[in-house]
């Protein structure tokens, strides 16, 4: 997830844009504009985002399988009160 954050910063900065935080303050770009690199970073950023979504979705699906199909009590054993 830190990689995703760094890629987001990089693609904006190499596109020549300052990072704005909800209009409260801006961090100007410390790099020279490089549109080609920015486009490459955007592609990697999108790939990492989709990978994270698939992993999170798979994790949630596995949890539901344990709860409703296997009924093996894995989710209950993970609760702090079960220890």
């Amino acid at each position: 997830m830190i990689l995703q954050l760094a890629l987001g910063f990089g693609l904006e900065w190499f596109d020549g844009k300052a990072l704005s935080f909800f209009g409260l303050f801006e961090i100007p770009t410390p790099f020279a504009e490089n549109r080609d690199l920015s486009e490459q970073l955007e592609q990697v950023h999108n790939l990492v985002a989709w990978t994270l979504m698939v992993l999170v979705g798979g994790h949630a699906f596995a949890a539901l399988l344990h709860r409703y199909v296997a009924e093996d009590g894995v989710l209950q054993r993970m609760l702090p009160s079960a220890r």
Side-chain angles (χ1 to χ4, degrees), residues 30-82:
F31 306 108
E33 186 175 318
N34 186 339
R35 299 264 171 146
D36 291 333
L37 180 57
S38 177
E39 290 174 9
Q40 290 174 348
L41 289 175
E42 184 174 12
Q43 290 176 359
V44 176
H45 183 74
N46 290 338
L47 177 66
V48 171
W50 279 106
T51 302
L52 284 171
M53 285 189 266
V54 168
L55 288 172
V56 168
H59 192 89
F61 182 72
L64 291 172
L65 281 177
H66 276 285
R67 174 74 172 123
Y68 296 109
V69 177
E71 296 179 0
D72 55 7
V74 167
L75 297 177
Q76 281 73 28
R77 288 196 311 260
M78 291 169 46
L79 293 173
S81 62

Side-chain angles (χ1 to χ4, degrees), residues 3-51:
L3 173 64
Q4 185 69 337
L5 179 69
L7 288 167
F9 273 59
L11 75 90
E12 288 295 311
W13 278 341
F14 282 111
D15 199 27
K17 299 176 186 170
L19 288 175
S20 175
F21 288 89
F22 307 106
L24 299 174
F25 62 94
E26 288 187 350
I27 300 176
T29 179
F31 306 108
E33 186 175 318
N34 186 339
R35 299 264 171 146
D36 291 333
L37 180 57
S38 177
E39 290 174 9
Q40 290 174 348
L41 289 175
E42 184 174 12
Q43 290 176 359
V44 176
H45 183 74
N46 290 338
L47 177 66
V48 171
W50 279 106
T51 302

